[in-house]
Amino acid sequence: MAHVKLHIPGPVEVSEKTFRAFCQPMIGHRGQGFKDLYARIQPRLQALLSTKQLVFLSTSSAWGVMEGALRNLVTKKVLNCMCGAFSDKWYDVARRCGKDAEPLQVPWGSPIRAEAVDAKLATGQFDALTFIHNETSTGVMSPLAEIAALKAKYPDVMFIVDCVSSLTAVPVEFDKLGVDVVLAGTQKALALPPGMCLFVCSPAALAKAATVKDRGYYFDFVEFQKNAEQNMTPSTPSIAHVYALDSKLEDIFTEGLAARYARHAQLAQMTRAWAARHGFTLFPEAGFESHTLTCVNNGARPGGRVINVPEFQKRVKDRGFLIDGGYGKIKGTTFRISNMGDETEATMKALFAAMDEALQGL
Ligand SMILES: *Cc1c(COP(=O)(O)O)cnc(C)c1O
């Protein structure tokens, strides 16, 4: 069966080069070959995240580390900043882990604002917060730097930040931001197969984790640090992902970070222009649109054109591309188009041409 090219916001299309790297022969994960591989990618991961801290590799999807961060760092109460399906779910996960948790909920489509976070933290009840930089379900990018700036005012609160669908598409300077955890899954802007999560912890996060008794084993941040110091992971990793990451980092630094960020911004802008050209409005509040995906309004809010999304998706798929029909409670009343990973002006134009045809008569 012919491959349908992925333009859903994860997993995204994986290049031939990445797949070739992924499919190299296995090596032992305690041997020198693996340590050399890990040591080779570490400086580039640190450059990507602008950090002196060691970057950890978890064989799990992002949720593993999202849950792990709660188990490692929350002893009092966590503030869950909620603005869409993923950030809402993090509150649910905190409660499932038995943590005392409180929502800071804004309507889907709105960003999380620093003032609201400040007001909650000022109560002194919290020792951690969860925040999603780019809410993939709504296409909203919240102001990470403004929220991270609050860390100076609340140094004892652990700032846990999900950059799953923004890392490598938008600058995320870990040390400068001063937050405690940044994590990102591999199947979004990194354009690797799903199944691995990168993350980095502040010295304060590692020190706090070391005092927390029921943090478990698989996602124990202290174990990650101890092993990373030896260029290893606590348990057997997906070695194929590490090969693929090595190859992807080569691509990223050949292109250059600034060029990669500019490319994502430009392709997202092109997608918004496509939507406007066809009479659609956008779901996110103006000024907070994501650089990695576009969430198009299709009746979720007043204004703009409304179409039959499943029919549109089907017609686009018949032309070789998979787009997303909306997530959770905004399924069908929005649809989403990803431009993250390896996309270019030419590949986006090919998608737009298919969508132009598919829209006719809808
Ligand atoms: C995809 C996504 C996740 C969840 O990732 P999994 O790979 O399914 O664990 C979490 N947060 C954001 C922002 C995402 O886009």
Side-chain angles (χ1 to χ4, degrees):
M1 212 172 85
H3 175 62
V4 178
K5 189 183 169 202
L6 301 182
H7 273 280
I8 52 174
V12 307
E13 192 69 12
V14 175
S15 72
E16 286 295 327
K17 174 176 180 279
T18 301
F19 271 128
R20 277 200 304 277
F22 197 83
C23 291
Q24 293 171 84
M26 283 304 116
I27 52 177
H29 69 295
R30 300 295 181 218
Q32 196 56 46
F34 181 81
K35 291 183 184 181
D36 291 346
L37 172 65
Y38 196 115
R40 184 161 77 240
I41 65 172
Q42 188 59 241
R44 284 173 291 161
L45 290 175
Q46 290 173 313
L48 174 64
L49 282 148
S50 295
T51 184
K52 292 191 177 61
Q53 294 301 111
L54 293 173
V55 179
F56 306 140
L57 306 179
S58 170
T59 296
S60 65
S61 78
W63 273 116
V65 178
M66 292 165 79
E67 176 171 323
L70 298 166
R71 296 193 58 192
N72 275 267
L73 299 175
V74 180
T75 53
K76 207 159 79 176
K77 188 173 185 182
V78 59
L79 178 68
N80 300 111
C81 303
M82 294 157 63
C83 64
F86 292 102
S87 47
D88 289 6
K89 184 79 190 168
W90 219 345
Y91 169 64
D92 177 42
V93 172
R95 292 172 38 117
R96 290 186 194 209
C97 289
K99 301 296 180 187
D100 197 2
E102 185 171 318
L104 165 57
Q105 176 92 65
V106 301
W108 283 27
S110 296
I112 300 294
R113 308 277 191 159
E115 307 81 73
V117 177
D118 191 3
K120 286 279 191 184
L121 294 184
T123 64
Q125 293 177 48
F126 302 98
D127 67 342
L129 69 81
T130 64
F131 168 75
I132 292 189
H133 182 200
N134 191 64
E135 200 6 292
T136 316
S137 63
T138 61
V140 168
M141 201 169 262
S142 290
L144 171 58
E146 284 169 35
I147 284 151
L150 291 170
K151 176 75 189 177
K153 196 167 164 190
Y154 303 102
D156 296 334
V157 177
M158 293 285 122
F159 281 48
I160 305 166
V161 181
D162 165 325
C163 291
V164 173
S165 58
S166 59
L167 187 69
T168 82
V170 182
V172 177
E173 297 179 284
F174 184 72
D175 291 357
K176 192 165 143 200
L177 286 167
V179 296
D180 296 288
V181 178
V182 160
L183 64 102
T186 50
Q187 80 277 26
K188 308 282 171 86
L190 268 163
L192 300 180
M196 182 167 270
C197 181
L198 320 180
F199 70 109
V200 58
C201 294
S202 67
L206 293 168
K208 177 154 190 194
T211 69
V212 176
K213 298 225 165 11
D214 52 359
R215 61 185 190 272
Y217 168 66
Y218 195 73
F219 297 108
D220 178 355
F221 289 180
V222 179
E223 286 286 348
F224 273 95
Q225 174 70 20
K226 269 201 309 213
N227 279 274
E229 284 167 2
Q230 311 293 322
N231 293 310
M232 290 189 293
T233 52
S235 53
T236 318
S238 170
I239 294 164
H241 275 92
V242 189
Y243 288 142
L245 182 57
D246 184 28
S247 162
K248 179 52 67 182
L249 288 164
E250 193 178 279
D251 300 345
I252 290 173
F253 286 98
T254 300
E255 179 179 17
L257 287 177
R260 189 175 174 88
Y261 300 148
R263 174 167 61 80
H264 279 90
Q266 187 216 346
L267 300 183
Q269 186 51 52
M270 281 171 65
T271 313
R272 289 176 220 139
W274 174 89
R277 198 156 66 236
H278 288 286
F280 292 107
T281 56
L282 301 178
F283 185 70
E285 197 176 309
F288 297 94
E289 299 90 350
S290 169
H291 289 198
T292 58
L293 74 137
T294 298
C295 186
V296 180
N297 177 38
N298 186 58
R301 33 174 104 265
R305 182 172 176 183
V306 176
I307 56 163
N308 176 339
V309 167
E311 176 60 21
F312 178 51
Q313 269 182 297
K314 183 187 163 296
R315 291 183 185 184
V316 172
K317 191 174 176 188
D318 289 343
R319 288 165 174 79
F321 301 93
L322 192 67
I323 61 168
D324 174 85
Y327 196 104
K329 66 186 182 193
I330 52 172
K331 186 179 172 73
T333 59
T334 59
F335 60 91
R336 299 180 302 164
I337 299 155
S338 164
N339 62 273
M340 62 183 106
D342 302 327
E343 302 307 331
T344 64
E345 216 179 298
T347 65
M348 292 306 291
K349 281 183 176 162
L351 170 69
F352 299 149
M355 294 198 301
D356 287 347
E357 279 181 25
L359 264 186
Q360 280 174 30
L362 264 190

